[in-house]
Amino acid sequence: MVQIAKVIVDVPTMQTNNPYSYFVPTQIETDIQVGMRVVVPFGNGNRKIQGFVVALETKAEEKNPLKNIESLMDLEPVLNPELIQLSSWLADTTFAFQITCLLTMLPNVMRAKYTKQLKILDPEVSSESLAKILPEDEWKDFQPDQLTPKQQSELLKLRKKNQIEIIYKVKNQAHSKQVFQIKSQLSEEEEPKIMASLRKNAVKMRNLVHYLAFHQTAIKQVEIEKELKITAATIKNAEERGWLTRKKVEQYRDPYAMNKKLTLPLQLNSEQKVALDQVTKSIKDQQSRTFLLEGVTGSGKTEVYLQTIAYALAQNKTAIMLVPEIALTPQMVSRVKGRFGKQVAVLHSGLSDGEKYDEWRRIKRHEAQVVVGARSAIFAPIENVGVIIIDEEHETSYKQDDTPRYHARNVAQWRSEYHNCPLVLGSATPSLESRARSERNVYQLLRLPDRINGHPLPKVKIVDMREELQSGANQNFSDPLLAAIKNRLNLKQQSILMLNRRGYSSFIMCRDCGFVLKCPNCDISLTLHMDNHRMKCHYCGHEEPIPKQCPNCHSEKIRYYGTGTEKVEKELQAQFPEARILRMDVDTTRRKGSHERILQKFGQQQADILLGTQMIAKGLDFPNVTLVGVLNADTALELPDFRSSERTFQLLTQVSGRAGRADKLGEVFIQTFNPDHYAIQLAKSQNYENFFRKEMYIRHQEKYPPYYYTLQITAAHKEEKVAAQKMYTVLNELKPSLSPDAIVLGPTPKPIARVKNKYYYQIVIKYKNEPQLHEAVTKILQESQADYRLGIQLSIDSEPQSFM
DNA sequence: AGCACGCCGACT
DNA sequence: GTCGGCGTGCTC
């Protein structure tokens, strides 16, 4: 009998994207388990690499000459069967390698580090150029990428002549934090005798002995050092005399150490109750249903989540709750921890690798039953899931934009089916995809139409910037907005001002009539290309020169539109020299924790005005804020993206919800050059349902999601010609597999055609039902592996969040 | 990724 | 004639 392990090796290529078989040597036969990491020899040189055991089988004999597994890297599996299964599904649906999927599901420390070492075999060996690298006797680390090409080839030559040996080492990065724990070996009776033997002035030791005599329970060394104000030397001394013992214990790095009292569930209103009942029934009946919880800002969605989780816990089940990265603030975390205390594990990008690893292990060891985290927390190794919740489900950050390009919502759906548990998608402004599914009863719609405190939604005023500019006002601030800010300053109330600046805003707009240059074929705004001074459509490739005057009103004030937070801050300060302004954007929040610091400062009313980009729109709740101003609502609106109206509506609705959350009535000013645009008009009335109908109609007309699926294929190369050619070949290969109903856009260059000296070309396929597409694309990906060597990178994105 | 094999140009 | 360039195939 032989035991064979199927191993996914850590070589991210298409050709190695399947399990490799290895013999399990007898020494590890009883220890090896599916889901463990192993070190295996791979390739001609038998270099050592990391792999994941995805299956084990026992056979009578094996004809193929297999290699042996070198060693185990884990004492227990790091992957359970569910996650292994999930990884192959993920690899298949996102067109990624399975190894890449496995590594994304696990904490970073599971990724092996490889080191190379060399040793001299022939003492006669001599080399001038390598003198510094060659070791004297033992193995010595070296890094090939730090050697000159000459040295590299010389090294290889020496190895061929068997004068040196090179080995590869797999280093495990997963280390738990170890601390010393001490335990008293003294009894109360012994104390006087020992005290007598100590000098009078040995104060520290006397304190320690006294403590030990009366405290028999084990305690961490750092804690006792702090308590008795003693040093490690004293403890070591006591250990040598046998008064205490020390041992190393594992300690979790607890990033959110909290010892608050637990909060109690709040009283629910009738709609909340209905929603809660529906979901809990599904938990009880073990149904994998998806609910869409559509609730206006302030309608108490979070309380429904918390009570849903409480129900799952009461059923001895666990829960996952996803929150967008930027909303995962300490306030948010403490709200959940306040209800469930130590049962909560938090996973998000702000944690160090070690902290993430510890939280991950707490989940794996069933010490945490509730996982709260950003996108990747959907892969938490939690078992027996009772409910999965995705808050702000419309957020684009739930889609990962590099491989594996997964959407957390889809992974959640998969896991909900696996665990037969409900999935709750919550939002004030659901994505059109989700809302459309609830229309067809694929998802069950639950509504929370009222704010829990009964307060009306803030009054939204739209300011027509075309008029404002005509009356010669300031570029960024209209008179009504300035007056409102002044008023709040006098009243000592706070204001939030949002500058909507999504990346670069390279479109052209007329400052007199608000006209934006659009593509004649696609009804999408054209993008300004400064490299060749032309306007381009990124959907169909249409091109035209930059207009000198507005085609609509013939004004010459048609120009590039865009502005920065820093400039606005200066202007604002000049207008209100006495105002205390806080600026929050990528520049001021780059450093870790600065995000929280700014918000905290604002929350403590150390500033009058918070000026920032989109990041201030999410989930903040400051009771003293009664004014919200959106300086330029159009920037997002006119991006060349079919979702731009949806994004604008969502953003404006969300930011409006920031005003007047407590007992003071809020006011919102939206400055725009397109006051009549439906996304802005409907955001004014906060009418999601009307927006949904209108936008669905447009998507239907334009053949975009949710009526059509989309798939984006991109080629990148340092020469524009090569990237373009590749896309044409791909398209030709794909065509036979496509039905006549499929719509292909492109190939076209990407909006920023050159990034890091590489040119990007893409095609977008819009389709409804293409049974052969998946297979055809997989095949293209496999064949393109050969091109990878030539520097052509092909990437495939199913349901891209943006075509840019 | 990394190593071997194999087929063409400039050297002893 | 050979050393070495890197295009191509393969890794249990």
Side-chain angles (χ1 to χ4, degrees), chain A residues 451-708:
Chain A
R451 289 188 136 185
I452 36 174
N453 53 16
H455 287 143
L457 288 164
K459 277 212 181 94
V460 181
K461 292 187 181 137
I462 292 177
V463 183
D464 186 345
M465 287 305 274
R466 296 171 304 188
E467 285 172 19
E468 289 295 320
L469 281 185
Q470 233 135 52
S471 60
N474 179 301
Q475 260 209 4
N476 291 311
F477 297 98
S478 61
D479 290 340
L481 180 59
L482 285 175
I485 298 171
K486 181 130 191 76
N487 172 259
R488 302 309 130 126
L489 286 172
N490 290 339
L491 290 171
K492 301 250 177 295
Q493 294 176 355
Q494 291 175 294
S495 308
I496 290 179
L497 298 178
M498 189 181 77
L499 184 66
N500 190 3
R501 198 171 57 109
R502 286 185 74 92
Y504 54 96
S505 48
S506 47
F507 66 98
I508 270 190
M509 183 166 70
C510 173
R511 296 252 161 147
D512 279 329
C513 70
F515 177 85
V516 171
L517 197 59
K518 289 192 169 169
C519 172
N521 310 322
C522 309
D523 203 27
I524 292 275
S525 39
L526 295 178
T527 301
L528 176 69
H529 278 245
M530 284 313 286
D531 45 2
N532 58 359
H533 293 276
R534 287 178 78 78
M535 304 298 297
K536 269 189 203 164
C537 171
H538 297 130
Y539 286 69
C540 70
H542 169 84
E543 243 184 77
E544 59 184 82
I546 299 172
K548 293 254 182 329
Q549 50 169 239
C550 173
N552 188 37
C553 72
H554 307 292
S555 156
E556 294 197 347
K557 281 194 187 161
I558 181 161
R559 55 182 68 114
Y560 162 82
Y561 189 67
T563 187
T565 36
E566 226 178 307
K567 200 175 129 211
V568 171
E569 185 188 10
K570 272 194 194 130
E571 280 179 30
L572 192 62
Q573 196 73 74
Q575 286 284 340
F576 305 107
E578 76 281 13
R580 296 166 300 168
I581 304 170
L582 272 175
R583 180 161 63 96
M584 189 156 114
D585 57 21
V586 273
D587 296 326
T588 60
T589 55
R590 199 168 324 236
R591 270 187 321 162
K592 214 176 153 177
S594 49
H595 188 255
E596 279 87 51
R597 267 199 300 280
I598 293 175
L599 292 180
Q600 204 179 10
K601 238 175 137 181
F602 191 65
Q604 291 166 355
Q605 308 199 24
Q606 293 178 36
D608 307 302
I609 300 170
L610 177 63
L611 170 70
T613 49
Q614 347 313 34
M615 56 179 84
I616 60 174
K618 319 284 177 195
L620 308 178
D621 190 357
F622 298 113
N624 199 36
V625 172
T626 56
L627 173 68
V628 165
V630 179
L631 300 184
N632 53 345
D634 307 290
T635 328
L637 196 61
E638 300 302 344
L639 282 179
D641 189 322
F642 71 91
R643 274 187 248 260
S644 61
S645 295
E646 185 182 354
R647 301 258 164 80
T648 301
F649 178 82
Q650 286 165 346
L651 191 64
L652 294 179
T653 307
Q654 256 178 22
V655 76
S656 300
R658 303 303 123 222
R661 295 206 69 156
D663 47 0
K664 293 168 198 145
L665 193 63
E667 211 179 3
V668 178
F669 284 82
I670 296 174
Q671 300 189 152
T672 174
F673 288 94
N674 290 285
D676 302 323
H677 193 285
Y678 65 97
I680 289 174
Q681 280 298 326
L682 293 168
K684 173 188 161 116
S685 51
Q686 310 243 335
N687 194 330
Y688 175 78
E689 287 300 315
N690 280 359
F691 174 78
F692 172 68
R693 310 267 162 231
K694 170 88 182 164
E695 184 69 14
M696 283 296 273
Y697 174 78
I698 292 171
R699 299 284 179 90
H700 183 71
Q701 293 291 304
E702 309 283 331
K703 297 186 165 58
Y704 279 119
Y707 290 100
Y708 277 74

